Amino acid sequence: MSATRMMILGLVQWMQPVHGYDVRRELLSWSADKWANVQPGSIYHALRKLADEELLREVATEQVGSRPARTTYEITEKGAAEFTSLLRGNWWSIATPPDPFMAAFSFLPAMPRTEAAAALRNRATQLGAGNEQLRAAISADWARDKPPFVTWMWELSMERSEAEIRWCGRIAELIESGESYLPANSGAKGPPPTE
Protein backbone atom coordinates (compact mmCIF):
# COMPACT_ATOMS: atom_id res chain seq x y z
CA MET A 1 0.00 0.00 0.00
CA SER A 2 2.89 2.42 0.61
CA ALA A 3 3.67 2.62 -3.13
CA THR A 4 0.00 3.23 -3.94
CA ARG A 5 -0.24 5.76 -1.12
CA MET A 6 2.89 7.59 -2.29
CA MET A 7 1.80 7.64 -5.93
CA ILE A 8 -1.69 8.93 -5.19
CA LEU A 9 -0.41 11.64 -2.85
CA GLY A 10 2.22 12.62 -5.40
CA LEU A 11 -0.22 12.79 -8.28
CA VAL A 12 -2.74 14.82 -6.31
CA GLN A 13 0.03 17.23 -5.33
CA TRP A 14 1.19 17.45 -8.93
CA MET A 15 -2.22 17.78 -10.62
CA GLN A 16 -4.33 19.49 -7.94
CA PRO A 17 -7.14 20.20 -7.75
CA VAL A 18 -7.89 16.86 -9.37
CA HIS A 19 -10.73 14.37 -9.70
CA GLY A 20 -10.16 10.76 -8.68
CA TYR A 21 -10.94 9.77 -12.26
CA ASP A 22 -7.96 11.78 -13.53
CA VAL A 23 -5.65 10.26 -10.89
CA ARG A 24 -6.79 6.78 -11.97
CA ARG A 25 -6.40 7.58 -15.67
CA GLU A 26 -2.89 8.96 -15.15
CA LEU A 27 -1.75 5.94 -13.11
CA LEU A 28 -3.14 3.54 -15.73
CA SER A 29 -1.44 5.49 -18.53
CA TRP A 30 1.84 4.83 -16.72
CA SER A 31 0.95 1.11 -16.42
CA ALA A 32 1.38 1.48 -12.66
CA ASP A 33 -0.97 -1.47 -12.18
CA LYS A 34 1.80 -3.68 -13.59
CA TRP A 35 5.00 -2.36 -12.01
CA ALA A 36 3.74 -0.76 -8.80
CA ASN A 37 0.80 -3.08 -8.08
CA VAL A 38 -1.57 -0.10 -8.05
CA GLN A 39 -4.93 -1.76 -8.55
CA PRO A 40 -7.34 0.45 -10.56
CA GLY A 41 -10.29 -0.53 -8.37
CA SER A 42 -8.49 0.53 -5.19
CA ILE A 43 -7.70 4.10 -6.23
CA TYR A 44 -11.05 5.66 -5.22
CA HIS A 45 -10.99 3.81 -1.90
CA ALA A 46 -7.42 5.02 -1.30
CA LEU A 47 -8.41 8.62 -2.08
CA ARG A 48 -11.25 8.46 0.47
CA LYS A 49 -8.98 6.85 3.08
CA LEU A 50 -6.29 9.50 2.54
CA ALA A 51 -8.98 12.17 2.96
CA ASP A 52 -10.17 10.47 6.18
CA GLU A 53 -6.57 10.59 7.44
CA GLU A 54 -6.45 14.32 6.57
CA LEU A 55 -3.67 13.78 4.04
CA LEU A 56 -6.01 14.94 1.26
CA ARG A 57 -8.85 17.42 1.36
CA GLU A 58 -12.07 17.16 -0.61
CA VAL A 59 -12.46 20.47 -2.43
CA ALA A 60 -15.73 19.91 -4.26
CA THR A 61 -18.14 17.24 -5.42
CA GLU A 62 -20.03 17.69 -8.65
CA GLN A 63 -22.44 15.60 -10.64
CA VAL A 64 -23.06 16.05 -14.35
CA GLY A 65 -26.25 14.46 -15.64
CA SER A 66 -26.62 10.83 -14.65
CA ARG A 67 -22.88 10.28 -14.28
CA PRO A 68 -21.52 9.33 -10.85
CA ALA A 69 -20.53 12.25 -8.64
CA ARG A 70 -16.91 13.36 -8.98
CA THR A 71 -14.94 14.57 -6.00
CA THR A 72 -12.03 16.97 -6.46
CA TYR A 73 -9.04 16.60 -4.12
CA GLU A 74 -6.10 18.69 -2.97
CA ILE A 75 -3.19 17.62 -0.79
CA THR A 76 -2.93 18.95 2.76
CA GLU A 77 0.27 20.08 4.47
CA LYS A 78 0.24 16.80 6.42
CA GLY A 79 -0.22 14.90 3.13
CA ALA A 80 2.68 16.73 1.49
CA ALA A 81 4.91 15.76 4.43
CA GLU A 82 3.75 12.13 4.19
CA PHE A 83 4.43 12.11 0.43
CA THR A 84 7.95 13.49 0.93
CA SER A 85 8.67 10.90 3.63
CA LEU A 86 7.42 8.01 1.48
CA LEU A 87 9.23 9.34 -1.59
CA ARG A 88 12.58 9.63 0.15
CA GLY A 89 12.14 6.26 1.84
CA ASN A 90 11.50 4.56 -1.51
CA TRP A 91 14.37 6.37 -3.25
CA TRP A 92 16.98 5.44 -0.63
CA SER A 93 16.05 1.84 0.12
CA ILE A 94 15.95 -1.34 -1.89
CA ALA A 95 12.90 -3.52 -1.54
CA THR A 96 12.33 -6.74 -3.40
CA PRO A 97 8.65 -7.31 -4.01
CA PRO A 98 7.36 -10.79 -3.23
CA ASP A 99 7.52 -12.89 -6.38
CA PRO A 100 5.49 -16.11 -6.49
CA PHE A 101 7.89 -17.43 -9.13
CA MET A 102 10.77 -17.35 -6.63
CA ALA A 103 8.69 -19.34 -4.15
CA ALA A 104 7.86 -21.90 -6.85
CA PHE A 105 11.48 -22.03 -8.07
CA SER A 106 12.61 -22.96 -4.55
CA PHE A 107 10.87 -26.30 -5.20
CA LEU A 108 12.64 -26.90 -8.52
CA PRO A 109 13.41 -30.55 -7.70
CA ALA A 110 9.67 -31.26 -7.44
CA MET A 111 9.17 -30.41 -11.13
CA PRO A 112 9.97 -32.79 -13.98
CA ARG A 113 13.12 -31.50 -15.71
CA THR A 114 11.43 -31.16 -19.09
CA GLU A 115 8.55 -29.19 -17.62
CA ALA A 116 10.85 -26.93 -15.57
CA ALA A 117 12.95 -26.10 -18.66
CA ALA A 118 9.82 -25.53 -20.75
CA ALA A 119 8.35 -23.26 -18.05
CA LEU A 120 11.55 -21.18 -17.96
CA ARG A 121 11.55 -20.81 -21.74
CA ASN A 122 7.87 -19.85 -21.63
CA ARG A 123 8.64 -17.26 -18.93
CA ALA A 124 11.34 -15.79 -21.17
CA THR A 125 8.88 -15.62 -24.07
CA GLN A 126 6.27 -13.83 -21.92
CA LEU A 127 8.88 -11.35 -20.66
CA GLY A 128 9.96 -10.70 -24.25
CA ALA A 129 6.36 -10.04 -25.29
CA GLY A 130 6.00 -7.59 -22.40
CA ASN A 131 9.12 -5.77 -23.59
CA GLU A 132 7.67 -5.54 -27.10
CA GLN A 133 4.53 -3.95 -25.67
CA LEU A 134 6.64 -1.41 -23.78
CA ARG A 135 8.69 -0.62 -26.89
CA ALA A 136 5.46 -0.01 -28.80
CA ALA A 137 4.14 2.21 -26.00
CA ILE A 138 7.36 4.24 -25.95
CA SER A 139 7.14 4.91 -29.67
CA ALA A 140 3.38 5.70 -29.63
CA ASP A 141 2.21 9.26 -30.22
CA TRP A 142 0.54 9.58 -26.82
CA ALA A 143 3.84 8.80 -25.07
CA ARG A 144 5.27 12.06 -26.38
CA ASP A 145 2.94 13.90 -24.00
CA LYS A 146 4.35 12.04 -20.99
CA PRO A 147 7.35 13.24 -18.99
CA PRO A 148 10.64 11.62 -20.11
CA PHE A 149 11.02 9.85 -16.78
CA VAL A 150 8.00 7.66 -17.59
CA THR A 151 9.93 6.31 -20.57
CA TRP A 152 13.00 5.87 -18.35
CA MET A 153 10.94 3.77 -15.91
CA TRP A 154 9.75 1.58 -18.77
CA GLU A 155 13.35 1.23 -19.96
CA LEU A 156 14.38 0.04 -16.48
CA SER A 157 11.58 -2.52 -16.55
CA MET A 158 12.74 -3.72 -19.98
CA GLU A 159 16.37 -4.00 -18.81
CA ARG A 160 15.30 -6.08 -15.82
CA SER A 161 13.24 -8.32 -18.08
CA GLU A 162 16.17 -8.74 -20.50
CA ALA A 163 18.37 -9.90 -17.61
CA GLU A 164 15.71 -12.39 -16.51
CA ILE A 165 15.25 -13.63 -20.09
CA ARG A 166 18.98 -14.42 -20.26
CA TRP A 167 18.86 -16.11 -16.85
CA CYS A 168 15.84 -18.25 -17.85
CA GLY A 169 17.65 -19.47 -20.97
CA ARG A 170 20.85 -20.29 -19.07
CA ILE A 171 19.06 -22.18 -16.28
CA ALA A 172 16.85 -24.07 -18.76
CA GLU A 173 20.03 -25.27 -20.50
CA LEU A 174 21.55 -26.38 -17.19
CA ILE A 175 18.37 -28.27 -16.28
CA GLU A 176 18.25 -29.94 -19.70
CA SER A 177 21.92 -30.91 -19.44
CA GLY A 178 21.19 -32.92 -16.29
CA GLU A 179 23.00 -30.53 -13.92
CA SER A 180 22.49 -31.65 -10.32
CA TYR A 181 20.16 -29.47 -8.25
CA LEU A 182 21.81 -30.17 -4.89
CA PRO A 183 25.49 -30.66 -3.97
CA ALA A 184 26.29 -34.36 -3.54
CA ASN A 185 27.86 -34.01 -0.08
CA SER A 186 25.75 -31.16 1.32
CA GLY A 187 23.47 -33.37 3.35
CA ALA A 188 20.64 -31.15 2.16
CA LYS A 189 17.27 -32.79 2.18
CA GLY A 190 14.88 -31.99 -0.56
CA PRO A 191 12.49 -33.78 -2.83
CA PRO A 192 14.32 -36.03 -5.25
CA PRO A 193 14.66 -34.47 -8.72
CA THR A 194 11.88 -35.55 -11.03
CA GLU A 195 13.07 -36.66 -14.45
Side-chain angles (χ1 to χ4, degrees), residues 1-7 9 50 55 79-93:
M1 173 62 179
S2 74
T4 301
R5 186 179 183 92
M6 180 197 69
M7 294 185 77
L9 287 170
L50 292 168
L55 300 173
E82 174 75 0
F83 168 68
T84 300
S85 174
L86 290 168
L87 178 67
R88 288 209 165 93
N90 286 322
W91 263 90
W92 289 96
S93 64

Side-chain angles (χ1 to χ4, degrees), residues 100-110 182 190-191:
F101 170 74
M102 294 297 280
F105 191 79
S106 69
F107 288 95
L108 173 63
L182 301 171

Side-chain angles (χ1 to χ4, degrees), residues 4 6 11 21 25 29 37 56 64 70 84 88 101-102 107 118 143 163 166 175 177-178 187 190-191 195:
T4 301
M6 180 197 69
L11 276 174
Y21 174 81
R25 186 180 63 195
S29 77
N37 199 27
L56 296 178
V64 178
R70 283 187 168 185
T84 300
R88 288 209 165 93
F101 170 74
M102 294 297 280
F107 288 95
R166 288 189 301 274
I175 290 170
S177 75
E195 297 304 323

Side-chain angles (χ1 to χ4, degrees), residues 140-190:
D141 288 340
W142 69 267
R144 292 187 190 103
D145 296 332
K146 297 292 173 203
F149 62 82
V150 173
T151 298
W152 300 340
M153 291 183 334
W154 289 346
E155 288 172 351
L156 174 60
S157 180
M158 290 175 1
E159 291 286 337
R160 288 176 173 168
S161 291
E162 288 298 329
E164 189 168 344
I165 288 167
R166 288 189 301 274
W167 178 86
C168 284
R170 184 173 61 83
I171 301 305
E173 287 176 10
L174 289 171
I175 290 170
E176 289 168 337
S177 75
E179 181 86 17
S180 176
Y181 294 155
L182 301 171
N185 58 358
S186 73
K189 301 275 187 212

